[in-house]
Amino acid sequence: MAMTESTAPVRYRDGTAVVDLPAQIDASAERTLNEAYATAAGHGSKTVLLNFGRVEFLSSTGIALVVGILARARKDGRTITASGLSDHYREIFEITRLADFMKIYADESAALKGGEAT
Amino acid sequence: MTSKTPVETPKVRDDAANWAVPAGRLRVGEVPPGAVNLNVTGRRLVGPVQGFGQLWQKTYRMRLDGIAITPPDVIREWKANYGAFWPKGNHFYAPQAGIQPGVVVLINGESLGGVEVSTGIEVIYADDESFTFMNAEGHPAAGIVTFSAARDEHGVSAQVQVLIRADDPFYDVMLPIYGHRFEDQMWTKTLVALAAHFGAHGDVTVERICVDRRRNWSQAKNIWRNAAIRSGFYMFGAPIRWVRRALKEGREA
């Protein structure tokens, strides 16, 4: 099987660091995700938006990585939000109860506007 | 003339069948003999963000060198014999359906003072190379446990990774006294038994990282559903239940 490129570029919009998560989030994405968070944190953004728009495979190890980022952000006084989740990934966030602790928006624009999460 | 080199399209696996479907409250099918469904039916799952204590990530790993096996071989055998690899005194009431997403399993774990803690887990994820449990409310640890096998340049290794917080203040106090030691023994012995199943021997490496040192004081209320306390009351109430049952049967006779 061909390996998918594991990159998570970080963009900055309206004071928010937007992390475009890679297509495959499993054990192989650990370094990519940690580096992306470190980049976002280094920029000083108080809010980090995890954009799941490109994600096509998420394993439970990948969820553990997201929890790790959530915990670090909490420690650093940052807010983590999420956008671009398919119905399937929303379900996963429900099962793991991550949805209780993370605002989820339909898309990036809605997330940047803030307000009521969906 | 130009020639085009075919570009391999990156393939991404499909994870849809690997995850459990959210069900809200837990439901248990038939209760196996010896199991106690005291703290599972009607409960919810608790993840690492719902627990009380510090967030710990602990990774237990064992190499299975010198054996011709693949990671899917390891996971297949692990799923099929899961309970048999647990240390004595702990019971995993394996469901007939096997370890697959959405299955709820009752467990009895040994604890201090001879109390058998009755609790449970749900299999929230399973694929060919890993499977994950999430604990029911009242379980000593709020969080997820992932069992996996992987190949690197040296060979195949098996791993247990827990991402947990003590679920309530009682468990949080017990964690340094008993909990960490119990958990280390639990997963170390499990990996040793798994390796022995394949004819491998060796040492288990343990890595402990405190991901978040702060406590979730808003979750202190979790103590009301503490499975150890409830199991203790249930256990010590057994003679009273026995006398009541005998009296009832006597009246009916």
Side-chain angles (χ1 to χ4, degrees):
Chain A
M1 187 179 87
M3 294 300 290
T4 52
E5 194 187 7
S6 181
T7 59
V10 183
R11 299 176 280 120
Y12 303 96
R13 286 185 62 189
D14 305 337
T16 296
V18 182
V19 180
D20 294 317
L21 296 172
Q24 188 160 313
I25 306 182
D26 56 10
S28 66
E30 183 172 6
R31 181 185 279 187
T32 306
L33 260 62
N34 288 341
E35 284 177 357
Y37 177 75
T39 304
H43 186 263
S45 303
K46 279 286 171 198
T47 304
V48 178
L49 170 64
L50 301 178
N51 175 17
F52 280 78
R54 296 195 302 166
V55 179
E56 294 177 36
F57 182 89
L58 178 61
S59 73
S60 56
T61 310
I63 280 290
L65 294 177
V66 175
V67 173
I69 288 178
L70 199 59
R72 258 181 294 160
R74 183 174 177 250
K75 195 172 155 189
D76 299 345
R78 285 193 176 78
T79 304
I80 297 280
T81 56
S83 71
L85 280 93
S86 64
D87 290 345
H88 171 53
Y89 290 130
R90 278 177 183 263
E91 277 191 0
I92 292 172
F93 271 53
E94 246 181 74
I95 297 166
T96 53
R97 297 190 64 185
L98 277 176
D100 294 5
F101 277 75
M102 198 188 286
K103 278 192 173 179
I104 299 170
Y105 296 93
D107 53 41
E108 191 174 316
S109 311
L112 293 173
K113 277 183 200 155
E116 251 345 87
T118 54
Chain B
M1 186 179 131
T2 57
S3 67
K4 284 186 180 174
T5 309
V7 177
E8 196 175 2
T9 312
K11 286 179 192 164
V12 175
R13 293 175 283 166
D14 181 13
D15 62 27
N18 301 340
W19 285 95
V21 175
R25 304 276 169 182
L26 297 175
R27 280 184 181 188
V28 180
E30 199 177 326
V31 178
V36 181
N37 183 12
L38 181 67
N39 298 302
V40 180
T41 291
R43 297 298 169 93
R44 298 176 69 192
L45 294 172
V46 278
V49 284
Q50 280 86 31
F52 171 78
Q54 297 175 328
L55 178 59
W56 286 90
Q57 179 181 285
K58 297 200 244 177
T59 308
Y60 306 85
R61 191 175 294 135
M62 186 169 186
R63 303 211 58 86
L64 305 172
D65 294 337
I67 317 160
I69 44 167
T70 63
D73 291 337
V74 175
I75 295 302
R76 192 170 47 248
E77 286 298 306
W78 206 343
K79 284 176 181 170
N81 303 286
Y82 183 84
F85 299 142
W86 270 18
K88 220 173 162 185
N90 300 284
H91 301 282
F92 180 86
Y93 295 96
Q96 282 195 329
I99 291 177
Q100 50 178 282
V103 164
V104 177
V105 184
L106 297 173
I107 56 180
N108 281 0
E110 65 174 358
S111 184
L112 283 177
V115 173
E116 261 201 351
V117 181
S118 302
T119 179
I121 59 95
E122 180 176 339
V123 182
I124 61 162
Y125 182 89
D127 66 19
D128 289 348
E129 297 186 357
S130 67
F131 56 100
T132 298
F133 296 166
M134 192 161 167
N135 299 335
E137 286 175 331
H139 189 290
I144 54 179
V145 187
T146 297
F147 308 86
S148 60
R151 180 184 291 283
D152 61 17
E153 63 272 26
H154 304 294
V156 173
S157 59
Q159 178 180 291
V160 180
Q161 186 175 67
V162 302
L163 190 64
I164 54 151
R165 292 178 190 272
D167 191 44
D168 64 41
F170 175 81
Y171 290 135
D172 194 43
V173 169
M174 297 305 290
L175 202 61
I177 302 166
Y178 175 76
H180 281 309
R181 185 163 41 93
F182 171 80
E183 192 169 56
D184 289 352
Q185 283 180 2
M186 178 83 188
W187 300 127
T188 300
K189 286 182 177 176
T190 295
L191 284 172
V192 168
L194 172 73
H197 180 77
F198 290 105
H201 303 281
D203 296 322
V204 176
T205 60
V206 185
E207 182 188 63
R208 299 177 191 85
I209 301 169
C210 186
V211 182
D212 183 5
R213 294 201 167 276
R214 296 194 302 181
R215 289 177 169 79
N216 282 331
W217 287 98
S218 63
Q219 305 293 315
K221 61 183 184 300
N222 294 353
I223 200 161
W224 293 111
R225 57 191 188 214
N226 182 300
I229 295 173
R230 288 171 53 89
S231 299
F233 280 126
Y234 181 81
M235 201 172 140
F236 296 117
I240 299 166
R241 285 196 304 279
W242 184 84
V243 169
R244 272 190 189 157
R245 204 165 37 241
L247 287 173
K248 192 180 170 194
E249 281 169 8
R251 276 198 301 269
E252 286 169 0

